[in-house]
Amino acid sequence: MNEELTGRLRTAAEAHQPDRARILARVERGMSGAPDRHRESSGAGPWPRVALASLAAAGILAVGGFAVAAIVQSPPARPDLPATPAAPSTPSTPSASSTPSAPSASGTPHSTPSVPATGGPTAPDRPSSTSPSPAVSGGAGSARPGGTRVQDGPLWSAGSLDPGSNTYWAQSDITLKTTQPLTALTVELRITQTGGVQSTGNWRTLPADDFTVTVQHEGGAVVYRWILKPGRTVPAGQHVFAGQYNHAAGEREAGHDGYRVDANGPRGALAVWGGFTPTR
């Protein structure tokens, strides 16, 4: 029921005054009995009717009293009061291994920044060498292509194709310049086998008796080596070492050829290496 109906019932209950005199008079009339014409012919006394009348009157009074008490004592609804909030539950204690929560919508993270597993800053990358040294074989470096270092202290080098080369024959020159005498020297020239490559000779500007010369086929290439004999010295200045060879007819690609020079001087071991410009 709504508030208006509840209010009306409460007002009526508070204003109700039972007419006790009227109720008692009705009870007395019931107890005194009805006129003789209404008596039953069986001759039964009026006591059953009197008892019933008394019980009815008592029931009316009791029901009325309960109704009034219920209406008066029941408090009206209070829509303006909020519902009683439930007691907050006790938050559980997070475990040490729990995962930090994600950042909130405002952008403020709920967890502290993670610490690197190593416990310190990462070491910077080391710069790689721009010209790796060729592999060393038997104490001397290999002239395989793949890197270039044309100068090492007092020693300088360059590789070139002799201008007299042609479509059947070629000469590869290694030019050395040193500003200090050399007490040891090994010059290696590697000519890649591109087809029909076969040595036809070699020479150098230094005395022939000062060097041991070999020409061999190694790993798909013709390899020339000039090795300074023990006790000999290469003076300061410019020197040339050349290898001559035939090759298949046509323009030969020299991009895979290479050289390496290993030497010893006053400052210690020296090494230079490089390649040759292809024929155009």
Side-chain angles (χ1 to χ4, degrees), residues 87-95:
S89 60
T90 303
S92 60
T93 303
S95 63

Side-chain angles (χ1 to χ4, degrees), residues 1 8 21 24 39 42 56 68 83 98 152 173 191 195 201 240 256 262:
M1 60 180 68
R8 289 182 179 181
L24 291 174
R39 295 170 181 261
S42 63
V68 171
S98 60
D152 184 8
D173 298 336
I191 305 300
V240 178
H256 296 289
D262 291 280

Side-chain angles (χ1 to χ4, degrees), residues 11 53 67 90 133 147 150 172 174 176 180-182 184 191 206 228:
T11 301
T90 303
S133 300
V150 298
S172 295
I174 301 173
L176 297 181
Q180 297 178 357
L182 303 176
I191 305 300
L206 293 169
L228 185 66

Side-chain angles (χ1 to χ4, degrees), residues 183-219:
T183 57
L185 178 64
T186 298
V187 179
E188 180 181 295
L189 168 63
R190 180 176 294 268
I191 305 300
T192 302
Q193 182 60 261
T194 56
V197 175
Q198 186 175 1
S199 176
T200 59
N202 62 87
W203 56 268
R204 80 256 108 236
T205 55
L206 293 169
D209 294 340
D210 290 351
F211 290 88
T212 300
V213 182
T214 60
V215 180
Q216 299 175 334
H217 293 267
E218 300 177 1

Side-chain angles (χ1 to χ4, degrees), residues 222-273:
V222 177
V223 180
Y224 300 78
R225 287 191 182 91
W226 295 265
I227 302 175
L228 185 66
K229 294 179 180 179
R232 309 295 174 92
T233 301
V234 174
Q238 179 172 311
H239 314 286
V240 178
F241 296 79
Q244 301 171 335
Y245 49 91
N246 290 329
H247 58 80
E251 182 176 335
R252 180 181 176 276
E253 175 62 55
H256 296 289
D257 299 343
Y259 71 88
R260 180 183 176 93
V261 178
D262 291 280
N264 278 334
R267 55 162 292 182
L270 306 171
V272 291
W273 57 86

